[in-house]
Amino acid sequence: MRSRFDQQLALLNRELTLMGALCEDILSKVSQSMVDWDPDLKKNIQPVAQEIDQKERDIEALCLKLILHQQPVARDLRVISAALKIITDMERIGDQAEDIAEIITYLGGRTGDTHTQIQKMARAAIGMVVDSVDAYVRKDLALAEKAIQEDDVVDNYFAAIKKDLIGWIAQQPQDGEYALDLLMIAKYLERIGDHATNIAEWVIFSITGKHEEESV
């Protein structure tokens, strides 16, 4: 019985790892389009977004099956419940990548200094996602903590970009719509950083049984 359960836990780990890789893939495609504009970006990332959604459904079904049929002990139950939380954040990362792609499509390849800052912010947010997913795969507390700390970097980028764009709109109101589009991209990246933080916090919970919200 335990052998069968361990096999299903291993499957859960593989499926969640694959879902994390899909999130990294879609974010990479979106980030690259900020450098090399792809007018078909939204269409090109749609299959990845759909696969992320399907992975969420498959993993959720597997988790519920494990809970209902295997009666997991406390340590295993933490892993399963954390996985259910993590896939929700991963699915939202996929959604927000699609939202960014839609905005990029309308930018028409236009670039600028603020655009460069957003590219740096995107790399930082993607790094958080990579670290949080790797922390789950490796069961690495230190890497999970690193991902959480990196959220300050992403937040600082957002604050600086927001300040720059507000000043830009004041000086060049004719560019107001473009500046607001960039601000929305930055906001979505900030949210992606928040989701990566959530993933890292649930990784810590799965290992230690303690969650950040409970210690506040």
Side-chain angles (χ1 to χ4, degrees):
M1 180 69 74
R2 180 68 205 189
S3 175
R4 171 64 176 163
F5 183 64
D6 287 341
Q7 290 175 3
Q8 291 181 316
L9 278 181
L11 174 61
L12 171 60
N13 185 73
R14 290 195 300 272
E15 289 295 292
L16 202 148
T17 302
L18 287 172
M19 187 175 180
L22 289 168
C23 288
E24 294 171 21
D25 183 35
I26 196 171
L27 288 173
S28 178
K29 284 180 167 63
V30 169
S31 178
Q32 185 60 37
S33 191
M34 294 182 195
V35 181
D36 302 315
W37 184 63
D38 177 8
D40 297 319
L41 175 64
K42 190 175 178 183
K43 180 180 70 176
N44 290 338
I45 67 169
Q46 190 174 22
V48 185
Q50 291 173 343
E51 196 169 353
I52 289 172
D53 290 342
Q54 185 60 54
K55 283 292 181 189
E56 183 192 28
R57 291 189 290 270
D58 292 345
I59 293 170
E60 184 178 60
L62 176 58
C63 288
L64 294 177
K65 180 180 178 181
L66 284 167
I67 292 171
L68 292 174
H69 295 167
Q70 301 293 346
Q71 298 180 336
V73 297
R75 170 70 173 80
D76 296 327
L77 187 59
R78 288 204 310 268
V79 171
I80 296 168
S81 59
L84 284 168
K85 296 288 188 177
I86 288 170
I87 61 173
T88 299
D89 282 296
M90 285 185 176
E91 191 274 337
R92 291 300 298 139
I93 287 171
D95 286 347
Q96 282 154 7
E98 284 190 284
D99 291 333
I100 293 172
E102 184 168 2
I103 296 172
I104 289 175
T105 299
Y106 293 113
L107 295 182
R110 183 176 177 183
T111 60
D113 291 341
T114 302
H115 205 174
T116 301
Q117 285 295 99
I118 291 177
Q119 291 168 19
K120 293 178 180 177
M121 184 181 181
R123 287 194 290 271
I126 292 171
M128 287 184 67
V129 174
V130 171
D131 283 347
S132 62
V133 172
D134 285 351
Y136 174 84
V137 174
R138 302 178 192 175
K139 304 295 182 284
D140 189 329
L141 280 174
L143 192 55
E145 292 286 0
K146 178 176 178 285
I148 292 170
Q149 292 168 6
E150 287 169 349
D151 192 41
D152 289 339
V153 176
V154 173
D155 288 345
N156 288 339
Y157 271 123
F158 178 70
I161 290 168
K162 181 178 179 182
K163 181 179 178 181
D164 288 347
L165 289 174
I166 289 173
W168 186 5
I169 292 172
Q171 294 176 12
Q172 302 184 56
Q174 71 275 14
D175 279 337
E177 185 175 349
Y178 175 65
L180 288 175
D181 283 340
L182 293 182
L183 183 59
M184 283 304 301
I185 290 175
K187 185 61 181 176
Y188 284 129
L189 289 171
E190 182 197 35
R191 290 177 182 171
I192 287 169
D194 290 341
H195 288 300
T197 297
N198 290 344
I199 292 170
E201 289 175 348
W202 284 113
V203 169
I204 293 171
F205 169 78
S206 71
I207 298 169
T208 68
K210 296 180 181 179
H211 191 269
E212 183 68 23
E213 291 181 357
E214 296 173 352
S215 60
V216 175

